[in-house]
Amino acid sequence: MSKDINPKEAIVKTAYADVNKFGQNGEFDKSMKAVNRILAVAPDDHTALHCKIICLIQLTKFEEALKFIEKNRLVTLIFEKAYCEYRLNKPNLALKTIDDANLPVLPPNLKELRTQVLYRLERYDECFESYKDIIKHTNDYYEDERRTNFKAVAANLALDTNNVIPEIPEDTYEQYFNGSFILSIRQRYSEAEKKLRVSEKLCRESLEEDGASEEEIREEMDIIKVQTAYCMQMQGKTKEAAAIYADVLRNKPKDPALIAVASNNLVVINKDQHVFDSKKKIRAAMADACEHKLTARQKKAVALNNCLLALFTNASDQIHQISTKLAEQYPDMCFQSLLIRAVQFTKDKKHKEAVELLQKHAASTANKEEAFASKFAIVQFLLVQGARKEAIDVLLSLGEAKYKPGIVSALVTLYLGMNNKPAASELLRTAVDWYKKNNVSSGDLSDMWRQAAEFHLRGGATETAASSLEELLKLKPNDVRVLAQLVIAYAQCNPQKALEVSKKLPKLETLTTASEIDALEAANWVMSTKAAKKSANAKIDQSPGTPVVEKKKCHKRKRKGKLPKNYNAEIPPDPERWLPKYERTGFRKKRDRRAKDIIKGSQGMSSQAAEQYDMSNRANLNKSSPATPAYQEPTPGPRQQHRKGGQKKRKGGRF
């Protein structure tokens, strides 16, 4: 007789078969129900416990999986526990879990997870070395993904210009995408944009081969488009970049980091325009969902832009509150926060508070660069108030830094603005002596020496001007103009030295040609500049080897007058042909014929009076009439007569 099968074993065996079947089909919810059947009859089954954790991880129930591990004290499941902590945005706990295991050699899966945790913690140096080791000793299906991540680590290391980034081959669109980051960080935006165009093309081709839908392709390509827009923005193509950002945000992407980057960059483009839209965008960039998706550098940039946007809105209380929070959250942004507050004080006409705030920071900070910048900001605020003397005092308090060319130039300008030329001259003299004494040659000082020399030459301090020109000659030994100025300066204070230096000047024959000398001799100095140039050019053109060409005189061609078609030379022309029609004799006869029987006079005038004053009737002159003036003006010619009537005859109508 066969023995009866243990029902407990039968349940476990059947349940494991279901776990395997559902797990291979990706139905992890059904697989977990099968595991629960096993744990119901065998609660201490380690394999079943492990299977349940895997099912919970596959169902993205990381919190529940972590609690289950801790409840059942599954110490050996280091990878699963660290992975749950990593996915719950607890990278420090995940790294501690891996390191506390004290394993002599980390298995490949745990080593790769640790590398990812280091990337999340932004410990890029360690992450870079770890990936190098993994790629060297591993060769499997995930090699392209590892190289993509390796390229991403290299891009972040490129932020430090001292790091040497090795060349990594690029085959996939992700690798091209990460490679563009390295170029953009090095400010080679045009090359980065070209690489992103290649990445975009490869992305579409690759996803279409995998059978991805159009929506999935668009979501993947949106990331590449945003990076392309950033490169265009940095090249000054702000309109095109803004259009791409707006188009991506219109598609409502699921990635919060993508939304944050596009929104923040749009705020930067808007500046003080479209403030209400920028407020919405900055809120989207600072959402809680972006907290664990952005790097510390990105979050810092968003927070700073939020402060600057508040400055544009001129919300005084809000600006002080946000800037104080920025300094607390990011201590390295303390100085930027301070400057924003000082600017707002000046906007509120509180210049004294702004200056005091910066003076306090300059006195307390150990960072020399920040203290230096603070004093420059103080000078700017003082000049806005018109306090030039106080601004000069701040610049003079910079110690030896006041001898920098830019500061010397600013001080000279301020002194001249206050009509204090002796102080400006003394400052330049002191600066020249300081540079000669300390033998400082950092940067290009030629402009400062030249300005100092010209200033002292105009002021009559020829010895100081000569010292400046000597220093300038050391920087530019072949400059003939400087040498000539030095000769002029020495000629006024040391003629012997002027004679020695003048010997270094090139000979006149090397500076001018024979033709130029002839032109100068031929030119008449009394003539105007244009005439002198004209005569000089004529002299130069008439060289012995050039044949003389006589210029032909331009004669204007006289055109023959045009005659009418019906012109007859035998008939003399009408003498009145140039007179207006109404002034011709024939026109007057028509008027006389029409007005033969009717005499028009002034309104209300009788016909008898009209006859009396009708000058055309010569008989009236003998009759008694009012006294006429002794002098009568001569009748004007036909050209000076005014036209009578004033109205033109309309078509088919009357006058």
Side-chain angles (χ1 to χ4, degrees):
M1 274 178 80
S2 61
K3 295 182 180 179
D4 294 334
I5 300 174
N6 190 345
K8 180 180 176 181
E9 292 179 1
I11 293 170
V12 170
K13 187 176 181 180
T14 307
Y16 269 121
D18 291 342
V19 169
N20 184 45
K21 181 180 71 174
F22 292 133
Q24 288 182 351
N25 294 334
E27 300 174 314
F28 295 104
D29 51 346
K30 294 180 180 179
S31 182
M32 192 167 66
K33 290 177 181 177
V35 171
N36 287 336
R37 291 205 307 268
I38 299 170
L39 293 174
V41 295
D44 296 330
D45 190 334
H46 189 272
T47 305
L49 293 169
H50 194 182
C51 287
K52 183 169 183 177
I53 292 167
I54 297 298
C55 290
L56 289 169
I57 290 173
Q58 292 291 342
L59 294 169
T60 65
K61 297 180 179 180
F62 304 111
E63 191 73 40
E64 190 176 341
L66 189 60
K67 289 179 181 178
F68 190 80
I69 291 170
E70 292 173 352
K71 180 181 177 182
N72 293 278
R73 298 179 182 178
L74 302 173
V75 184
T76 56
L77 301 180
I78 300 167
F79 176 81
E80 287 76 8
K81 183 183 179 184
Y83 183 76
C84 289
E85 290 169 339
Y86 170 74
R87 292 299 301 271
L88 289 169
N89 297 314
K90 299 175 181 177
N92 289 303
L93 286 176
L95 185 64
K96 188 175 183 300
T97 299
I98 296 169
D99 291 344
D100 288 350
N102 294 323
L103 297 174
V105 179
L106 291 175
N109 61 343
L110 204 57
K111 188 173 185 180
E112 201 150 352
L113 176 61
R114 187 178 186 276
T115 308
Q116 283 292 99
V117 172
L118 290 171
Y119 182 81
R120 180 68 65 83
L121 292 170
E122 300 182 24
R123 291 162 63 172
Y124 299 118
D125 293 321
E126 299 174 54
C127 183
F128 187 79
E129 295 299 326
S130 181
Y131 263 125
K132 278 175 66 177
D133 185 63
I134 291 170
I135 291 171
K136 185 178 179 181
H137 296 94
T138 309
N139 186 12
D140 56 14
Y141 180 75
Y142 299 102
E143 185 177 356
D144 285 341
E145 282 78 359
R146 291 191 188 95
R147 283 188 176 179
T148 300
N149 293 345
F150 187 48
K151 197 89 174 179
V153 178
N156 284 281
L157 281 175
L159 291 167
D160 187 355
T161 54
N162 297 323
N163 292 328
V164 179
I165 308 300
E167 290 293 331
I168 304 167
E170 297 169 346
D171 300 319
T172 63
Y173 73 89
E174 294 99 333
Q175 291 169 4
Y176 273 97
F177 177 76
N178 289 336
S180 70
F181 271 92
I182 299 174
L183 293 173
S184 62
I185 287 167
R186 290 173 176 170
Q187 298 183 359
R188 293 158 61 181
Y189 300 110
S190 179
E191 296 176 44
E193 186 181 347
K194 291 178 183 177
K195 190 163 285 194
L196 286 164
R197 301 292 183 190
V198 177
S199 174
E200 189 174 347
K201 182 182 176 183
L202 291 175
C203 175
R204 177 168 286 280
E205 292 174 357
S206 175
L207 294 178
E208 283 178 351
E209 287 178 4
D210 294 341
S213 64
E214 189 61 33
E215 186 178 354
E216 291 172 340
I217 294 172
R218 179 179 53 74
E219 287 180 3
E220 193 70 18
M221 289 179 65
D222 279 348
I223 302 171
I224 304 173
K225 286 180 179 178
V226 167
Q227 183 62 19
T228 306
Y230 168 75
C231 293
M232 295 172 72
Q233 181 181 349
M234 297 307 291
Q235 293 178 75
K237 304 173 186 176
T238 52
K239 289 185 179 179
E240 295 89 338
I244 295 173
Y245 291 138
D247 184 58
V248 170
L249 292 174
R250 203 178 295 115
N251 295 331
K252 297 181 179 179
K254 297 176 182 177
D255 187 1
L258 185 64
I259 295 172
V261 171
S263 300
N264 176 74
N265 291 356
L266 262 178
V267 171
V268 174
I269 290 174
N270 288 341
K271 294 183 181 178
D272 58 344
Q273 304 295 321
H274 312 293
V275 177
F276 292 107
D277 181 63
S278 295
K279 282 184 176 181
K280 293 179 183 177
K281 296 289 188 295
I282 206 71
R283 279 199 295 269
M286 299 183 72
D288 294 336
C290 306
E291 178 65 25
H292 303 290
K293 294 290 184 178
L294 300 176
T295 63
R297 184 173 62 92
Q298 289 172 325
K299 287 187 281 189
K300 197 185 299 181
V302 172
L304 179 61
N305 287 335
N306 185 37
C307 282
L308 293 172
L309 181 61
L311 192 64
F312 288 138
T313 58
N314 205 22
S316 183
D317 296 335
Q318 186 183 4
I319 289 168
H320 292 296
Q321 183 181 355
I322 294 173
S323 57
T324 305
K325 185 180 178 182
L326 176 69
E328 292 172 356
Q329 194 172 1
Y330 303 102
D332 57 331
M333 301 287 287
C334 181
F335 181 59
Q336 288 84 340
S337 166
L338 207 68
L339 283 176
I340 291 171
R341 290 181 63 195
V343 170
Q344 186 56 42
F345 274 132
T346 57
K347 279 189 168 186
D348 297 337
K349 307 298 181 184
K350 299 178 180 179
H351 302 288
K352 186 178 179 182
E353 288 84 344
V355 172
E356 288 177 356
L357 185 68
L358 290 169
Q359 283 177 340
K360 184 178 178 182
H361 178 75
S364 60
T365 184
N367 191 329
K368 292 183 179 179
E369 291 183 1
E370 286 189 4
F372 195 73
S374 297
K375 290 191 176 182
F376 264 94
I378 291 168
V379 170
Q380 176 67 26
F381 293 143
L382 289 171
L383 290 176
V384 169
Q385 301 174 58
R388 294 181 182 177
K389 188 176 183 305
E390 291 80 356
I392 290 171
D393 293 339
V394 173
L395 289 174
L396 291 174
S397 67
L398 294 174
E400 292 186 345
K402 69 183 177 183
Y403 295 120
K404 290 186 176 182
I407 299 174
V408 170
S409 177
L411 282 168
V412 169
T413 303
L414 289 171
Y415 277 132
L416 292 177
M418 297 176 67
N419 293 322
N420 193 350
K421 291 184 180 179
S425 178
E426 182 62 28
L427 174 67
L428 285 168
R429 188 182 293 106
T430 310
V432 169
D433 293 341
W434 184 85
Y435 275 101
K436 291 180 71 175
K437 181 180 178 182
N438 294 278
N439 197 19
V440 178
S441 59
S442 60
D444 186 10
L445 301 173
S446 57
D447 287 338
M448 195 194 79
W449 294 126
R450 181 175 279 107
Q451 295 296 331
E454 290 178 358
F455 184 85
H456 287 119
L457 279 173
R458 288 195 302 268
T462 53
E463 293 182 3
T464 310
S467 300
S468 301
L469 289 168
E470 285 176 354
E471 296 297 327
L472 182 58
L473 199 61
K474 291 178 184 177
L475 297 173
K476 297 185 177 183
N478 299 323
D479 196 331
V480 180
R481 180 185 173 189
V482 176
L483 196 62
Q485 285 181 327
L486 185 59
V487 171
I488 293 170
Y490 277 138
Q492 299 179 41
C493 62
N494 193 343
Q496 185 64 30
K497 205 163 186 179
L499 186 61
E500 294 175 6
V501 175
S502 65
K503 294 177 182 178
K504 298 179 183 179
L505 287 170
K507 294 182 179 180
L508 185 62
E509 290 79 6
T510 61
L511 297 175
T512 57
T513 61
S515 60
E516 290 175 348
I517 295 171
D518 292 340
L520 287 170
E521 289 176 351
N524 187 353
W525 297 101
V526 182
M527 296 166 64
S528 63
T529 309
K530 290 184 179 179
K533 284 183 180 179
K534 188 175 179 181
S535 61
N537 291 335
K539 183 71 176 177
I540 292 168
D541 291 338
Q542 295 174 1
S543 57
T546 307
V548 179
V549 180
E550 292 183 0
K551 292 184 179 180
K552 294 181 179 180
K553 294 182 179 180
C554 295
H555 296 284
K556 290 184 179 180
R557 189 179 64 180
K558 294 182 179 180
R559 293 185 179 182
K560 294 181 179 180
K562 291 184 180 181
L563 298 173
K565 292 180 180 180
N566 56 355
Y567 175 71
N568 189 354
E570 295 178 359
I571 302 172
D574 184 8
E576 295 184 348
R577 65 186 182 279
W578 303 117
L579 294 177
K581 192 174 181 181
Y582 67 90
E583 293 180 2
R584 296 179 189 179
T585 309
F587 185 79
R588 287 180 178 176
K589 287 179 180 179
K590 291 179 183 178
R591 290 286 300 270
D592 291 343
R593 187 167 55 250
R594 283 184 302 173
K596 188 174 182 180
D597 300 327
I598 303 170
I599 296 176
K600 293 181 180 178
S602 301
Q603 292 182 2
M605 183 181 292
S606 64
S607 60
Q608 187 178 359
E611 289 177 359
Q612 182 181 355
Y613 290 102
D614 185 8
M615 302 303 295
S616 62
N617 191 355
R618 297 293 179 181
N620 291 333
L621 293 173
N622 299 324
K623 297 180 181 179
S624 60
S625 61
T628 56
Y631 171 78
Q632 290 185 353
E633 291 185 0
T635 307
R639 290 261 181 202
Q640 283 119 9
Q641 287 180 357
H642 293 288
R643 184 172 180 178
K644 299 177 182 178
Q647 289 186 353
K648 292 183 180 179
K649 187 175 182 180
R650 298 174 187 168
K651 278 189 178 181
R654 300 178 181 175
F655 279 105

